[in-house]
Amino acid sequence: PFTAGELLCLGSSVALSGLFYYVYRRKARVAARIQAAPKLQVDDELPALVAAAHGRCLPYVALEGIVLPAKATLSSHYHEDMQGVIQKLLLKEHRLIWNSLARSW
């Protein structure tokens, strides 16, 4: 009763739904870990805590404390009483792998 085209469409639909559900579950687990992150204060004990951690890294922590802007604070356009600063990001790439198909690193 089903043609080959209908079965192909049904199979690809089920496969894509499974893939999207898998990605959704992974992202939901990461979001739950971030929500459950411990809150630490920025104080003199923080460097010792980081040094004692495995790999000198604290995964998913929320730091609370006072920060000072490098130049000037940013003011919100929507809430006049809110101010913020820009965090400097450092991206460190651990290794390069040659992709022969795309011919790039």
Side-chain angles (χ1 to χ4, degrees):
F2 294 111
T3 65
E6 291 173 335
L7 290 176
L8 180 68
C9 289
L10 178 65
S12 63
S13 175
V14 169
L16 282 175
S17 295
L19 174 70
F20 291 143
Y21 182 71
Y22 170 74
V23 170
Y24 165 76
R25 294 297 300 160
R26 275 188 49 202
K27 299 299 180 184
R29 270 187 257 132
V30 170
R33 285 181 60 193
I34 291 172
Q35 290 292 332
K39 295 180 181 172
L40 302 175
Q41 294 293 328
V42 178
D43 55 9
D44 295 334
E45 297 175 5
L46 187 61
L49 184 64
V50 172
H54 177 68
R56 297 185 56 144
C57 180
L58 297 172
Y60 297 122
V61 295
L63 293 177
E64 295 179 339
I66 298 173
V67 296
L68 299 173
K71 293 183 181 177
T73 59
L74 301 173
S75 299
S76 172
H77 295 290
Y78 304 106
H79 302 283
E80 296 171 358
D81 57 338
M82 294 184 104
Q83 294 181 341
V85 295
I86 295 178
Q87 175 186 5
K88 292 183 180 178
L89 297 176
L90 175 65
L91 177 64
K92 180 179 177 185
E93 190 167 341
H94 296 284
R95 63 181 181 170
L96 293 175
I97 299 174
W98 176 255
N99 185 346
S100 61
L101 182 63
R103 296 182 181 253
S104 66
W105 288 98

